[in-house]
Amino acid sequence: AMKRVRKTFWHRWLGAVLLVGGLAVAAPAEGAVLEAEAVWAAAETALAARLATEEKTVSYQWERFSALPPAIDVPDGEIALEANLPNGVRYGVPTAVRVQVRQGEARLYDWQLTFQVRRYARTVVAARDLPAGTLLTADDLRLAECDVTRVRGGRYDAVEAALGLETSRSLAIGSVISETLVKAPLLIRQGETVRLLARHGAVMVETTAEALTNGRSGTLVRVKNLSTGKVLVARVQAQGVVEALAR
């Protein structure tokens, strides 16, 4: 969904044609006065067209930041409004839309209008205040429609996708759960006894070892084989399970 402003664009009948995005539209006005709303409409049409190419699971709203005189003098005849986004859509900072008013080859006006664009999405948020180091459960999370304009990192669109992750810092109720705020939980903790797997061809051998470092899924840890006393490097496979790297 995108916020659109629809108002009367022209003050009197111009006996002219308004061109927006290459489409000719009868321009209501009599005399040579172009209302600012026509300029805003051209800018918002260009902005909406660009947003239609952005992320599909997100809705957008915008606010106008610039100012224009309410009525703008233009000569009689066919008037063209051309709008484009020179820097694309920007989030968290103003988005610029350049609008030019032309008559034939003559450029009558050239404005840069600015908008504050916001993004909204249905995403996973904290259902309560969460201390750092919390292992996320279904009771900790809920889905909500919220402003994600300034959210860094990927978001989660299903509670199930965030279950079992660990919060990297304290999160207030309603905070969007993003990839920058959570991490895989520790599966191996220093000092605990773990299952050590070692592959020899098609044969898998299992023994016990002491974890010398902490580890998360897929990371490398140092362990000491309790049978031989040797220190090995192993990859974390699951909770309390590591597999020695092949030599």
Side-chain angles (χ1 to χ4, degrees), residues 17 24 41 47 69 73 80-81 85 105 109 114-115 128 137 139 159-160 164 182 184 191 193 213 222 234 238 242:
V17 173
L47 177 58
D73 292 334
L81 297 180
L85 282 68
E105 296 299 318
Y109 298 97
T114 54
F115 297 85
R128 60 183 184 87
T137 68
D139 292 336
V159 168
E160 293 74 17
V182 293
T193 300
T213 54
R222 294 172 60 246
V242 300

Side-chain angles (χ1 to χ4, degrees), residues 16-203:
V17 173
L18 171 65
L19 299 179
V20 180
L23 298 177
V25 181
E30 162 192 293
V33 179
L34 170 65
E35 286 195 357
E37 196 59 43
V39 181
W40 281 112
E44 290 177 328
T45 297
L47 177 58
R50 178 62 67 89
L51 290 174
T53 68
E54 298 279 311
E55 188 178 349
K56 303 301 182 184
T57 59
V58 173
S59 61
Y60 300 88
Q61 293 184 9
W62 60 76
E63 298 176 55
R64 299 172 177 179
F65 266 21
S66 305
L68 287 171
I72 303 156
D73 292 334
V74 293
D76 291 327
E78 185 177 279
I79 299 298
L81 297 180
E82 299 174 2
N84 64 80
L85 282 68
N87 303 311
V89 180
R90 306 182 70 187
Y91 302 105
V93 295
T95 291
V97 181
R98 184 182 183 187
V99 181
Q100 297 183 49
V101 181
R102 292 181 175 274
Q103 187 172 62
E105 296 299 318
R107 185 171 62 189
L108 305 179
Y109 298 97
D110 191 341
W111 292 289
Q112 180 166 285
L113 305 182
T114 54
F115 297 85
Q116 188 70 51
V117 181
R118 298 189 178 279
R119 308 163 74 234
Y120 293 85
R122 187 166 176 78
T123 190
V124 176
V125 302
R128 60 183 184 87
D129 291 338
L130 300 173
T134 299
L135 292 180
L136 297 176
T137 68
D139 292 336
D140 299 322
L141 307 169
R142 63 183 177 87
L143 283 171
E145 184 81 17
C146 52
D147 186 344
V148 296
T149 305
R150 296 182 179 274
V151 173
R152 296 175 179 267
R155 307 182 310 275
Y156 299 93
D157 57 8
V159 168
E160 293 74 17
L163 295 180
L165 297 176
E166 181 182 333
T167 55
S168 302
R169 62 177 180 82
S170 298
L171 300 176
I173 184 171
S175 297
V176 173
I177 305 298
S178 70
E179 292 177 350
T180 59
L181 300 178
V182 293
K183 56 190 175 183
L186 281 178
L187 299 180
I188 302 296
R189 295 183 181 275
Q190 182 179 358
E192 72 179 6
T193 300
V194 300
R195 294 167 55 201
L196 173 61
L197 308 179
R199 190 179 299 276
H200 299 281
V203 179

